[in-house]
Amino acid sequence: MKRVYPREEVCVGCGLCGVYCAAAHSKYKDNIVKAFKKQAKRPVARIVLEEAGPISFGVQCRHCDEPECVKACITGAMTKDPETGLVLNDRDRCVGCWTCIAACPNGAIIRDISDSSKVAVKCDLCIDNQGELPACVANCPNKALIFEEEELALPKVLPASK
């Protein structure tokens, strides 16, 4: 399964990944100005920008093989699709208890406190894009996010020489 991976060596912490992610999950999808200015409720990004000094990188759901968030969800709102491998949250079933947030080892689930429902939100790899790149990856000016199969994205470890 393809996943989004950060490349912190080229991330400058501009936050455009979050802006485009939020817009992609708004009713205006392809227009960031309208998404942030015309929509009554400001859209929420499903990516978290981590910054510590000169190091920055985007963190989003890893769509784990054995997702702790799914195990922790008390309503069954958090599920793993057996066909696609995507871990998804059903906003209609989520009660905002946030046990999934506590259970996630990656810190990739976000509280949407912008309305009274206070549900959890997370990366869905822009499932509505119909096979295109997720918005965060497609719009990163430095290519600090990549969308690849896991084995391609991990650093190559050379065998120890004797």
Side-chain angles (χ1 to χ4, degrees):
M1 171 181 168
K2 285 186 169 185
R3 293 179 170 102
V4 177
Y5 296 95
R7 295 177 55 221
E8 93 217 17
E9 67 275 8
V10 293
C11 178
V12 296
C14 68
L16 286 174
C17 53
V19 170
Y20 280 95
C21 174
H25 291 88
S26 74
K27 71 178 186 179
Y28 294 104
K29 305 235 180 273
D30 295 325
N31 189 318
I32 60 173
V33 174
K34 283 185 178 179
F36 283 88
K37 298 286 187 177
K38 301 273 186 199
Q39 195 163 305
K41 183 183 121 183
R42 186 168 227 176
V44 177
R46 275 93 167 133
I47 185 170
V48 176
L49 182 62
E50 292 287 337
E51 295 182 277
I55 298 173
S56 57
F57 55 92
V59 175
Q60 64 278 90
C61 181
R62 293 273 152 260
H63 300 280
C64 301
D65 293 330
E66 298 291 328
E68 295 299 320
C69 60
V70 171
K71 294 176 191 173
C73 182
I74 64 170
T75 64
M78 199 69 69
T79 59
K80 181 170 180 80
D81 185 307
E83 289 181 28
T84 65
L86 291 176
V87 176
L88 302 170
N89 186 37
D90 181 346
R91 289 182 64 98
D92 295 330
R93 294 181 71 184
C94 181
V95 295
C97 71
W98 301 340
T99 56
C100 56
I101 292 171
C104 178
N106 301 305
I109 304 173
I110 300 127
R111 299 173 302 221
D112 183 355
I113 57 173
S114 63
D115 65 15
S116 61
S117 64
K118 297 187 168 120
V119 298
V121 294
K122 58 174 290 313
C123 173
D124 59 5
L125 293 179
C126 294
I127 195 169
D128 294 336
N129 273 5
Q130 301 166 353
E132 293 180 29
L133 288 174
C136 59
V137 176
N139 293 287
C140 179
N142 287 357
K143 307 295 179 224
L145 295 169
I146 56 173
F147 187 54
E148 293 185 346
E149 295 290 336
E150 184 175 14
E151 58 273 3
L152 298 174
L154 296 175
K156 307 295 183 249
V157 178
L158 299 174
S161 58
K162 294 185 178 186

